[in-house]
Amino acid sequence: MFRKHVKAAMISTALATVLAGTLAAPSAQAAPTAAAAECGVRAHDGLLWCGNRGDAPTRLQPFHESPFNGLLKSTFSYFTCWSTGGLHGGGNTTWYRTVPDWISEGREGYVPADWVFTPSWFDADPSRYGLRHC
């Protein structure tokens, strides 16, 4: 058990080191128009499909102090649900859960809403638009 926690800590530390240059919050202009236009919950699967900032670290829990558990390298992704978490650069506390492209421990991770190209009105209540709460 101890070895598993040490391994997780080493992975989190290594990922933090690799990502140190990519952790600045994206600017509002970073969202491509086409990706933003395609952003929404699809009726056939109930998932949010949306453009996002590439190389986004995912976290075990929906707050910045939580350890990294993966990396979302794609720039158009699906998100399985949303959760209230820590305040982030978007000025709200909405976080989206997804399956990272690179994953540690085989778990989904959380990305703050300011890294996903959702409009602020969507972030205010994603359940209203069909995305389930985690």
Side-chain angles (χ1 to χ4, degrees):
M1 181 97 161
F2 176 74
R3 189 166 56 163
K4 183 177 181 180
H5 289 290
V6 170
K7 180 182 174 188
M10 289 173 51
I11 290 171
S12 290
T13 302
L15 184 57
T17 302
V18 170
L19 296 174
T22 66
L23 294 179
S27 68
Q29 293 85 13
T33 306
E38 293 183 47
C39 188
V41 178
R42 294 183 182 172
H44 74 278
D45 60 13
L47 302 175
L48 169 63
W49 290 84
C50 198
N52 56 273
R53 184 170 188 266
D55 292 328
T58 61
R59 300 189 181 266
L60 288 172
Q61 299 296 320
F63 51 91
H64 286 294
E65 298 81 13
S66 180
F68 297 114
N69 77 325
L71 185 63
L72 188 60
K73 298 203 58 79
S74 58
T75 56
F76 188 81
S77 306
Y78 71 89
F79 301 88
T80 58
C81 59
W82 71 278
S83 185
T84 301
L87 183 66
H88 54 71
N92 63 57
T93 57
T94 301
W95 291 65
Y96 296 103
R97 191 167 75 187
T98 190
V99 177
D101 300 313
W102 175 87
I103 193 166
S104 170
E105 303 290 324
R107 296 175 57 184
E108 291 185 337
Y110 290 90
V111 177
D114 62 331
W115 289 57
V116 181
F117 302 147
T118 49
S120 59
W121 52 262
F122 185 93
D123 294 338
D125 186 6
S127 292
R128 181 177 183 185
Y129 304 100
L131 187 62
R132 74 177 179 87
H133 190 269
C134 301

